[in-house]
Amino acid sequence: MEKHTDISTHLETNMDHAIAEEITEDIAVYRTLVSNVYMLGNPSEKNWVLIDTGIAHYHGRIISAAKKRFNDTPPKAIILTHAHFDHVGSAKKLAKHWDVSIYVHPEELPFVDGTCEYPPADPTVGGGLLSLLSPVFPTDAVNLKHLAKTLSADGKLPFLDDWHYIHTPGHTPGHISLFRESDKILIAGDAVTTENPESSLAVLLPIIKLYGPPAYFTHDWDDAERSVQTLAKLKPKLLLTGHGLPMKDKELSEGFEKLTADFYDIAIPKHKRN
């Protein structure tokens, strides 16, 4: 691993308490400061994939958590649901450390190869401190040009034969969600969330409820609504999101029913900029 002299990197590489929480025998979550990172794969098989990478300077913690779970076996790949700063932040350092590729949807590629920047955040959406702070969130294009690869158009995922991806645009053009048909587990990225994505308090005191995508970074609400409808039709039994705790069973089905029926009132800000 590269040597770094900054204090934040030194601290994170010594975070012995960094532990991924097991959800099922082959799915674990590591909660970074504001978003979730998922590890897919059974530790006994040593064949796993990392989904999303949190914010910058979390690579040491993620490496430490992965080492504990997989006994220092590197992942086969990193897959990004999308490339916002809180999902792509540690991608480059993790990919270089493990010598693996980073996979994105073809429509997300311009945001990870240095070509395009995301539109600026919209602080007018209201709803909490994170909305007000959103203008300072990074939107600059990250340059993963020599590390990033595009996913195939058929929905297949590398090294995850029992999963497939679904294009769920709206929050970003190339946003994807992952679904496993055998047990109806859905990893939705930011297409939906289970905590109020605009509230900093929700990060500290999470209350499980189904919400739409984080409003300050969502720029196509028509696509966002269609994506929620697509996910609802899957009838998932367990939902894992980029922000918030797992949701399942009746609470989940009722959540999707309400969100699809009242998407305009629940998800779309009344005072958005456009």
Side-chain angles (χ1 to χ4, degrees), residues 4-52:
H4 302 275
T5 58
D6 62 279
I7 294 175
S8 61
T9 303
H10 174 74
L11 288 174
E12 72 172 339
T13 56
N14 290 280
M15 287 290 182
D16 292 335
H17 62 272
I19 299 173
E21 303 170 32
E22 186 170 280
I23 299 172
T24 69
E25 65 178 9
D26 64 348
I27 302 175
V29 60
Y30 182 69
R31 289 172 61 85
T32 70
L33 182 63
V34 296
S35 62
N36 298 326
V37 169
Y38 293 98
M39 301 174 185
L40 306 189
N42 195 312
S44 65
E45 297 176 1
K46 309 299 182 183
N47 183 22
W48 68 284
V49 171
L50 182 71
I51 310 300
D52 290 337

Side-chain angles (χ1 to χ4, degrees), residues 166-221:
I166 303 154
H167 185 203
T168 46
H171 188 56
T172 71
H175 189 286
I176 64 166
S177 302
L178 289 72
F179 187 64
R180 184 161 66 183
E181 180 66 39
S182 60
D183 51 11
K184 300 286 188 180
I185 296 179
L186 173 64
I187 300 175
D190 283 3
V192 293
T193 61
T194 58
E195 69 182 19
N196 184 344
E198 286 76 58
S199 171
S200 59
L201 184 62
V203 176
L204 302 174
L205 299 171
I207 298 174
I208 302 176
K209 181 180 176 181
L210 197 60
Y211 296 88
Y216 44 81
F217 269 161
T218 299
H219 291 271
D220 192 323
W221 286 102

Side-chain angles (χ1 to χ4, degrees), residues 15 35 39 50 70 78 105 143 165 172 203 216 234 241 253:
M15 287 290 182
S35 62
M39 301 174 185
L50 182 71
F70 297 99
I78 296 170
H105 188 274
N143 194 339
Y165 82 82
T172 71
V203 176
Y216 44 81
L234 297 173
T241 64
S253 61

Side-chain angles (χ1 to χ4, degrees), residues 108-126:
E108 203 73 3
L109 186 63
F111 303 102
V112 299
D113 67 4
T115 302
C116 294
E117 295 182 2
Y118 288 114
D122 182 359
T124 68
V125 295

